[in-house]
């Protein structure tokens, strides 16, 4: 892959990273101990006075967890891709070591595997 293309994808990745981090911050507080790890903030609807209100809080908490998880995975993939750009391994499938299709990287610059390996999963 030529350098200018990689630079463009790097820019996309950095923009994505910023977006994902902002989204994570809006639903979770950053864990100071583990870099890149976030704790989902327990939503506060005020002091729960009835069992109904507590149930509502738990439901809201549970619904943000999968979102937080998906964002964290995406952030890890983005960081992984940025590290690979630095080391010069970017665009290589992690499973079969073949180059990942450029079209796939344009749509999903954080992709770790080629389309073939992705399908096998
Ligand atoms: Zn592959």
């Amino acid at each position: 892959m030529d350098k200018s293309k990689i630079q463009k994808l790097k820019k996309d990745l950095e923009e994505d990273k910023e977006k994902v981090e902002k989204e994570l911050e809006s639903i979770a507080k950053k864990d100071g101990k583990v870099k890149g790890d976030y704790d989902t903030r327990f939503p506060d609807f005020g002091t729960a006075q009835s069992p109904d209100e507590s149930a509502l809080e738990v439901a809201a908490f549970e619904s943000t967890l999968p979102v937080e998880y998906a964002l964290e995975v995406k952030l890890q993939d983005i960081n992984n891709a940025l590290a690979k750009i630095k080391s010069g391994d970017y665009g290589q499938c992690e499973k079969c070591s073949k180059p990942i299709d450029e079209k796939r990287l344009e749509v999903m610059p954080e992709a770790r595997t080629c389309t073939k390996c992705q399908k096998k999963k």
Side-chain angles (χ1 to χ4, degrees), residues 58-74:
V58 170
F61 180 67
E62 281 174 352
S63 70
T64 54
L65 275 180
V67 179
E68 194 216 337
Y69 179 73
L71 285 170
E72 259 188 55
V73 168
K74 194 174 161 112

Side-chain angles (χ1 to χ4, degrees), residues 60-103:
F61 180 67
E62 281 174 352
S63 70
T64 54
L65 275 180
V67 179
E68 194 216 337
Y69 179 73
L71 285 170
E72 259 188 55
V73 168
K74 194 174 161 112
L75 186 62
Q76 275 165 15
D77 286 349
I78 290 171
N79 283 330
N80 181 270
L82 286 168
K84 282 201 275 189
I85 288 174
K86 242 188 182 171
S87 63
D89 300 324
Y90 183 67
Q92 216 179 45
C93 174
E94 287 184 6
K95 293 255 164 70
C96 66
S97 303
K98 286 191 184 127
I100 301 173
D101 190 46
E102 280 185 27
K103 283 205 183 78

Side-chain angles (χ1 to χ4, degrees), residues 13-81:
L13 282 164
E14 280 164 351
E15 281 170 14
D16 269 0
K17 188 180 167 177
E18 224 168 90
K19 254 187 262 164
V20 171
E21 278 177 342
K22 267 198 192 121
E23 276 179 66
L24 270 170
E25 269 161 33
S26 69
I27 57 165
K29 70 174 168 59
K30 203 164 184 178
D31 192 320
K33 278 168 269 170
V34 189
K35 199 169 165 261
D37 196 22
Y38 289 79
D39 282 327
T40 304
R41 190 183 296 141
F42 197 83
D44 190 11
F45 293 119
T47 320
Q49 306 215 323
S50 67
D52 278 1
E53 278 179 44
S54 306
L56 197 68
E57 281 185 11
V58 170
F61 180 67
E62 281 174 352
S63 70
T64 54
L65 275 180
V67 179
E68 194 216 337
Y69 179 73
L71 285 170
E72 259 188 55
V73 168
K74 194 174 161 112
L75 186 62
Q76 275 165 15
D77 286 349
I78 290 171
N79 283 330
N80 181 270

